[in-house]
Amino acid sequence: MVTDTAVRPRSGRDFRRFWAGDVVSQFGSRITEFVLPLLVVTTLDGSGTQVGLLQGLYLSPFFLLPLLAGVWLERRAKRPVMIAADLVRFVLVMTVPVLALFGGLTLPLLYVIAVLGGTMTVVYDIAATSYLPVLVEGEALASANSRVLAGQAAGATGGPGLAGWLSGLFGPAATLVFDGLSYLASANALLLIRHREEVPARPPRDLRRELAEGLRAVLHNPPVRALAVHAGIYNAATAMTTVAFLIYFVRELGHSSGAYGLIMVLGGLGGISGALGAPALIRRLGYGHSMLVVLVFSTSSYFLLPLIGGGQADVVLGGLAYFLGSAGAAGGTVVAVTVRQKTTPTELLARMNASYRLFAFGMLSLGSVAAGFLVDGIGARTTLFVTPILLLLSAIPAASRPVRTIRELG
């Protein structure tokens, strides 16, 4: 268990506020991720292609925006940007239940909200990842990353389960009211942080040079480059899995949103376990060998999903797949984030994180759109046979020499 003594004393209270705000925000984000596709499938009777397009549009800013966002954030205090992003997301998600109440909810409007919401999420995430090393330093950083990722996994646990339950009580659109309130709570927690960043004076802006420096921080750093390639392939495959499994489990097999939410809860519990266990694994095996261990779980577990066939064991099989897969993915993220933060100069962190997201998370959008076409073309279950193979392929760069040989980092 990570204690506050792992965070340097003068910033312990601020870190707790940062962490609490992020946990609440993650709950809200998970509700959104659960409800928007569910709205398309149930309320608007959308096809697999339309579900994939919605997910792809929500994730498209992860491909188009990170580089510019990283350069922009290098010259600004991160906390005010995070607060603003939370407030904008509050307005966006509250628009959905209002439109639904007056009968004005349509697919095109959901697409617009998805793009704008994804944009704010990109800005928030890059700012948050770059802000954490300002609050926490030295050996405490891996523990802080573990705690933050465990909080994110807690959101992944409670968010879908809560969304499934609330959707059953109030309907999917009304459930987004709780999402909006979570963003307000996150903004309030960030407002309470007393630490103020020192934004150093910088020479006149050379956008091309700054973008190039951010890209070099990834491409010229062998372990970070390998992890970025791994994350790109892995995220594309998981996005495909998400779309295909939702269509297969809810529409084709006829399971309830509550049962689907329960599987996501079990996946979140796995994420918490993986994130909290990662620091101990790193201390025992080192960074590289820890990555090899978690890759086994993060890739192979999803071969269980296409075995689901409409029986009583469906939730058990789905929950086991997501529990083990999420545990491995969360543990791998702790390793990857800490390696990135400790091998990159502070003045390049925002641009490095932005460039990394361009490679790693930009593929989420492509994976979601591809899944929609695959589901409509070859079927959801067949797609679920394809995606674990891509997950296995993603392990090749993450298991390469630049990563697996890392024992310790300064």
Side-chain angles (χ1 to χ4, degrees):
M1 181 176 178
V2 180
T3 65
D4 291 330
T5 57
V7 180
R8 52 180 175 166
R10 73 179 181 87
S11 61
R13 184 176 298 176
D14 283 342
F15 172 75
R16 288 194 296 272
R17 289 165 176 164
F18 169 87
W19 178 79
D22 192 66
V23 169
V24 174
S25 180
Q26 293 299 326
F27 261 86
S29 296
R30 284 295 183 169
I31 292 174
T32 301
E33 291 176 15
F34 181 94
V35 170
L36 288 184
L38 194 62
L39 276 170
V40 176
V41 172
T42 58
T43 305
L44 300 177
D45 195 29
S47 66
T49 299
Q50 289 170 329
V51 173
L53 181 58
L54 176 73
Q55 292 288 82
L57 288 171
Y58 177 78
L59 297 167
S60 62
F62 288 79
F63 179 73
L64 301 172
L65 189 63
L67 284 179
L68 292 176
V71 172
W72 181 72
L73 283 166
E74 285 288 356
R75 296 171 181 260
R76 284 166 175 78
K78 314 301 184 296
R79 187 181 69 97
V81 172
M82 295 160 63
I83 293 170
D86 274 335
L87 295 177
V88 173
R89 288 189 289 182
F90 164 75
V91 173
L92 288 171
V93 299
M94 292 299 290
T95 301
V96 176
V98 172
L99 289 172
L101 181 64
F102 292 99
L105 188 63
T106 64
L107 269 173
L109 286 172
L110 274 184
Y111 291 158
V112 172
I113 291 169
V115 171
L116 295 177
T119 298
M120 290 300 101
T121 298
V122 168
V123 173
Y124 177 95
D125 287 349
I126 293 174
T129 306
S130 304
Y131 186 52
L132 183 57
V134 174
L135 295 178
V136 183
E137 63 182 8
E139 291 300 318
L141 189 56
S143 294
N145 281 322
S146 168
R147 192 165 175 178
V148 168
L149 289 167
Q152 293 173 1
T157 303
L162 181 62
W165 178 62
L166 292 173
S167 294
L169 290 177
F170 306 110
T175 299
L176 289 176
V177 172
F178 298 90
D179 185 11
L181 295 177
S182 75
Y183 289 128
L184 281 184
S186 173
N188 182 66
L190 291 169
L191 283 167
L192 293 175
I193 292 177
R194 299 178 64 182
H195 177 271
R196 296 295 180 266
E197 298 168 75
E198 295 181 7
V199 182
R202 298 185 183 275
R205 166 150 284 164
D206 183 340
L207 183 60
R208 181 179 297 180
R209 177 183 59 79
E210 293 183 39
L211 289 173
E213 287 175 347
L215 287 168
R216 283 197 296 270
V218 173
L219 297 177
H220 290 189
N221 186 333
V224 174
R225 180 176 66 238
L227 290 170
V229 174
H230 157 71
I233 301 171
Y234 188 88
N235 287 346
T238 53
M240 294 171 69
T241 301
T242 298
V243 172
F245 185 66
L246 171 63
I247 298 293
Y248 180 59
F249 191 80
V250 175
R251 170 173 290 175
E252 296 187 9
L253 296 182
H255 290 293
S256 67
S257 60
Y260 177 72
L262 178 58
I263 290 176
M264 297 300 106
V265 167
L266 293 171
L269 289 173
I272 293 173
S273 302
L276 291 179
L281 190 66
I282 291 169
R283 287 193 295 270
R284 183 176 182 83
L285 301 178
Y287 289 90
H289 287 175
S290 296
M291 179 60 81
L292 295 179
V293 171
V294 299
L295 282 171
V296 174
F297 298 98
S298 65
T299 58
S300 61
S301 303
Y302 293 100
F303 280 104
L304 292 172
L305 293 182
L307 301 181
I308 293 173
Q312 294 181 342
D314 285 359
V315 173
V316 174
L317 279 176
L320 182 61
Y322 272 92
F323 181 90
L324 294 176
S326 297
T333 300
V334 172
V335 174
V337 170
T338 308
V339 168
R340 285 156 48 197
Q341 290 171 335
K342 288 197 170 189
T343 60
T344 303
T346 302
E347 65 273 13
L348 285 174
L349 273 174
R351 279 176 284 167
M352 179 278 297
N353 285 321
S355 299
Y356 187 91
R357 285 176 177 276
L358 174 67
F359 296 107
F361 293 98
M363 296 299 291
L364 285 168
S365 178
L366 297 177
S368 296
V369 174
F373 286 110
L374 282 173
V375 166
D376 287 345
I378 64 175
R381 190 178 190 185
T382 304
T383 302
L384 289 174
F385 278 106
V386 173
T387 55
I389 297 173
L390 294 177
L391 291 172
L392 284 177
L393 290 175
S394 77
I396 295 174
S400 63
R401 181 177 177 80
V403 178
R404 73 169 184 266
T405 55
I406 300 174
R407 175 68 186 177
E408 296 180 356
L409 294 168

